[in-house]
Each structure stands twice: as structure tokens, then as C-alpha cells.
Amino acid sequence: MNGKNGGLDRSTVTVLLFAGLGEKVGRTLSWPWREGLTVAGLLDELAARYPEVAVYRPTVMTAVNAAYRPVDHPLRPGDEVALIPPVSGG
């Protein structure tokens, strides 16, 4: 779902969590949007509620509406934010 075109509740952002982060917190969250919210602010709010997010905070990659974005990227209602922690395999 592309947040710009999709979400029904335009007063929230949809948070998609991948890999170990999704296993610990949940794969999808609906988070309240407010004026001035950035990716960094969202990460801070999530980390305050979910300590698992704080662990990944320094290394997580972020995407907004399927495009990688820096943490200072402003969010809009209905956006879809993906949190992608580093993965390793062998």
C-alpha cells in the first residue's frame, strides 16, 4: 500500500517493521500523525514505547512510501514508513 494513495485513516502513518524488528514488535503498526512529525521523531516515539526499536535505532534504514529517506524527512498523514534493520546471513 502506498501511503500517499492508499491508507484509509489519513490521521495516521503506517509503520512496516522488517526482519527481527518485526518479529519483536509486530509487522505493521498504525501510528498517530501530528504536524511536524519526522522520521526521527517517529523513531523516538516508537523507541519510547518499544525498547526493541531503541536497540535498532542507530542502524535502522528508513523508507517512506517505498523510497529510502533520511531521518529528517517530514511525514504526512497516510504515509507508509518502513523500518529495515541490518540483516546478516551465512
Side-chain angles (χ1 to χ4, degrees):
M1 166 173 51
N2 181 324
K4 290 168 64 176
N5 300 320
L8 296 176
D9 185 350
R10 304 298 258 163
S11 63
T12 64
V13 294
T14 299
V15 183
L16 307 176
L17 302 105
F18 292 92
L21 193 51
E23 293 169 10
K24 294 176 182 174
V25 176
R27 301 269 180 218
T28 306
L29 300 172
S30 181
W31 200 259
W33 177 84
R34 60 176 167 59
E35 187 70 38
L37 184 63
T38 63
V39 172
L42 174 66
L43 287 170
D44 290 344
E45 291 175 15
L46 288 168
R49 183 162 182 191
Y50 302 101
E52 298 86 350
V53 174
V55 172
Y56 287 100
R57 177 83 166 80
T59 57
V60 72
M61 296 286 296
T62 57
V64 178
N65 300 324
Y68 287 108
R69 299 288 182 215
V71 294
D72 63 348
H73 183 80
L75 297 175
R76 297 182 303 196
D79 277 350
E80 184 178 79
V81 180
L83 304 182
I84 309 158
V87 294
S88 61

